[in-house]
Amino acid sequence: MKHHRIARLAAAAVAAAIALTASGCSLESSGDGDTVKVVIGYQSKTINTVTAGTLLKAKGFLEQRLNDLSAHGGPKYSVEWQDYDTGAPITAQMVAEKIDIGSMGDYPLLINGSRTQANERSQTELVSITGYNPKGALNMVVVAPDSKAQTINDLAGQKVSASVGSAGHGTLVQALTRAHIDPKTGVEVLNQQPQIGSSALESGQVAALSQFVAWPGLLVFQNKAKLLYDGAELNVPTFHGVVARRDYAKQHPEVLDAFLRAQLDATDFIHKQPLEAAELVAQGSGLPQEVVYLYNGPGGTSFDTTLKPKLLDAFKADVPYLKSIGDFADLDIDKFVDDTALRKAFQENGANYDAALGNNANPAPVTGTDPLTNRPADNPALAGEIWFTDSDTTQPAADPTSLLRAIKQARAQGKTVRAAYVPDAELGTRWFADKAIWVRDGDTYLPFTTPAAAQRYLTQHPSGAVVSYDQAITEVRQ
């Protein structure tokens, strides 16, 4: 395996993406000279960008904001939405000045800032966050259901599918490095789009797939994969954000303002109506609603637009990644990030930016009262949800053991569970209850996302034992 294989793959990926061309007319005119056009690049299946993409589009919040401007004497506005699978083609179109505002993950944002700065008209700025996970759980590594791999170390010498330059690839590089495996020579990385990589995993062409949301959850939900590595093990924040071309924002500051205010509208909506939001995102992305709700529901992704210092510190620490995958220009994060427009949008929406900036808790935790125990389901490290078939609401559970009891009771009553969600007992990652690794320790049941996490617990608590999900439900005491 050649040492610079990944660098060549990354360069080829970016070069191919830049070669893309977009159809349509001028960025700022629809042809009659009276309509201002804004082109939005988004990723419908990257569901941590939904407040700047799929959900925002479905609710029409941006169009409503722009129509309000027109109604008050402004010009007419035209919004064009362009859907992509990864951030690379969005960056390519921004370099070509064909996309004005785009959203993508943290590693693609690094590439975006680096690639666009060569031309003054294409230069971009990071203007807001869509969603983040404080530990890095938005990216994961999955293997085939019958794989014998138990830890990331078991991938040494194997083929791994990843989209080079993506957040999923960045997590793979960090995970391998921590496991003392050279990410350039210790595995063979196949640079593939998520769909291609999923097919490669299913056909046995690769040993693992490292991707960003919602791909890991989707494949596990479909029983096409099992989770090997939870990105939360890195304990490094990962996020998705919004970039805007500075030149466009300078010419049409009212459009960027409308976009950010609309993003705040979408963020508020996903907090208040998570199931309805999940249904809209499912319709717009083609993803199962149960998978969307895993990430977009309470206790999942922190949907928070503010540019928090802890996220930017992690972002700065990721800059060396650029050099590891190719010849990228240095990126000054402090100059790339600008929260001026977002602060203005907060003020116009009657919200306090600094208060939101200083709040590091998930703004949408699981809430409610556990009907089985009559206890509040308010501990983020324990609280879960049960979504019963034919129900338009979810039932909160104060802790994983209570969740199992509720499901046992429901089964006895002839009810079926559409999906159930629990936080990993070690890392806190929200996961499917029926896909978790369960450990029984006395009368307490603990869910883990990966075999490695469960084993770490068992090493410290030899009284515990691994049990299957159905076994746990059968034997849990009422």
Side-chain angles (χ1 to χ4, degrees):
M1 204 177 305
K2 296 184 179 180
H3 186 75
H4 296 294
R5 177 179 177 81
I6 293 179
R8 292 201 309 275
L9 286 171
V14 174
I18 291 178
L20 292 172
T21 58
S23 60
C25 45
S26 165
L27 284 175
E28 298 153 20
S29 160
S30 65
D32 59 11
D34 298 324
T35 301
V36 174
K37 183 176 180 180
V38 55
V39 183
I40 311 296
Y42 75 111
Q43 303 168 65
S44 64
K45 288 183 171 58
T46 306
I47 55 178
N48 289 292
T49 63
V50 296
T51 54
T54 312
L55 181 62
L56 182 62
K57 179 185 177 186
K59 291 298 294 180
F61 288 136
L62 175 58
E63 288 80 356
Q64 292 169 24
R65 291 285 183 182
L66 292 174
N67 287 340
D68 287 344
L69 290 177
S70 300
H72 288 82
K76 294 180 180 179
Y77 295 91
S78 171
V79 180
E80 179 181 327
W81 297 88
Q82 295 185 3
D83 187 9
Y84 296 94
D85 293 324
T86 63
I90 296 176
T91 291
Q93 299 293 63
M94 297 187 92
V95 169
E97 303 166 35
K98 294 179 181 292
I99 284 180
D100 307 306
I101 300 173
S103 56
M104 60 193 73
D106 41 13
Y107 286 93
L109 285 168
L110 289 175
I111 295 174
N112 181 282
S114 175
R115 286 297 189 199
T116 60
Q117 64 180 293
N119 175 8
E120 186 174 346
R121 282 179 57 87
S122 69
Q123 285 181 356
T124 59
E125 57 189 359
L126 178 61
V127 295
S128 71
I129 302 298
T130 56
Y132 75 93
N133 183 280
K135 293 185 177 180
L138 303 184
N139 311 306
M140 294 174 165
V141 181
V142 295
V143 294
D146 60 353
S147 172
K148 303 300 183 184
Q150 295 290 300
T151 71
I152 197 76
N153 300 74
D154 295 325
L155 298 182
Q158 303 291 311
K159 292 181 179 179
V160 180
S161 175
S163 303
V164 174
S166 73
H169 180 243
T171 290
L172 177 66
V173 169
Q174 288 194 66
L176 290 171
T177 300
R178 290 198 183 187
H180 306 293
I181 299 172
D182 190 323
K184 295 180 180 178
T185 61
V187 299
E188 182 179 353
V189 175
L190 301 188
N191 184 22
Q192 298 174 323
Q193 294 285 79
Q195 299 96 323
I196 303 301
S198 299
S199 297
L201 180 67
E202 193 172 0
S203 63
Q205 297 176 41
V206 296
L209 172 78
S210 184
Q211 280 296 353
F212 47 84
V213 297
W215 292 99
L218 174 64
L219 295 175
V220 171
F221 177 78
Q222 294 174 331
N223 294 316
K224 294 180 179 179
K226 62 183 179 182
L227 190 60
L228 177 72
Y229 187 85
D230 183 344
E233 286 193 36
L234 295 173
N235 197 27
V236 176
T238 185
F239 64 90
H240 293 69
V242 176
V243 281
R245 287 197 305 111
R246 293 180 187 270
D247 182 67
Y248 183 88
K250 182 178 179 181
Q251 293 186 49
H252 303 292
E254 81 285 1
V255 174
L256 178 58
D257 180 65
F259 182 92
L260 292 174
R261 295 187 69 184
Q263 187 191 347
L264 292 175
D265 296 336
T267 302
D268 187 57
F269 181 82
I270 205 171
H271 290 162
K272 293 180 178 178
Q273 303 290 340
L275 272 178
E276 184 180 347
E279 182 178 8
L280 290 171
V281 172
Q283 293 171 354
S285 65
L287 294 166
Q289 192 173 345
E290 297 89 343
V291 175
V292 176
Y293 195 69
L294 170 70
Y295 297 107
N296 286 186
T301 300
S302 292
F303 284 99
D304 183 333
T305 60
T306 60
L307 292 152
K308 298 185 185 299
K310 66 176 183 179
L311 299 182
L312 300 183
D313 287 343
F315 199 38
K316 291 175 182 178
D318 291 337
V319 169
Y321 170 80
L322 288 173
K323 297 297 183 182
S324 76
I325 63 169
D327 184 20
F328 288 92
D330 292 331
L331 180 63
D332 187 328
I333 300 298
D334 290 328
K335 293 181 179 179
F336 180 52
V337 176
D338 191 344
D339 66 359
T340 305
L342 184 59
R343 285 181 174 275
K344 180 173 182 289
F346 259 78
Q347 183 177 17
E348 291 171 335
N349 273 25
N352 187 322
Y353 182 83
D354 288 322
L357 184 68
N359 185 0
N360 291 314
N362 190 322
V366 175
T367 59
T369 300
D370 184 331
L372 205 66
T373 63
N374 202 33
R375 291 187 291 123
D378 59 359
N379 185 338
L382 297 173
E385 290 183 286
I386 308 170
W387 189 359
F388 291 109
T389 302
D390 299 326
S391 176
D392 57 2
T393 60
T394 58
Q395 177 175 310
D399 57 60
T401 304
S402 182
L403 180 138
L404 293 175
R405 289 181 179 134
I407 293 174
K408 182 176 184 176
Q409 182 184 82
R411 285 183 175 181
Q413 296 170 349
K415 296 180 181 179
T416 57
V417 175
R418 181 172 179 175
Y421 307 93
V422 289
D424 174 278
E426 177 192 38
L427 304 170
T429 302
R430 178 174 161 96
W431 198 236
F432 296 113
D434 63 331
K435 307 302 182 185
I437 310 296
W438 286 88
V439 170
R440 180 190 64 237
D441 196 350
D443 290 332
T444 301
Y445 290 81
L446 305 165
F448 297 91
T449 55
T450 65
Q455 187 55 52
R456 285 192 292 270
Y457 178 87
L458 292 173
T459 299
Q460 299 295 322
H461 305 83
S463 59
V466 173
V467 294
S468 71
Y469 173 66
D470 285 327
Q471 181 182 349
I473 292 172
T474 299
E475 65 183 29
V476 67
R477 295 181 181 179
Q478 290 287 32

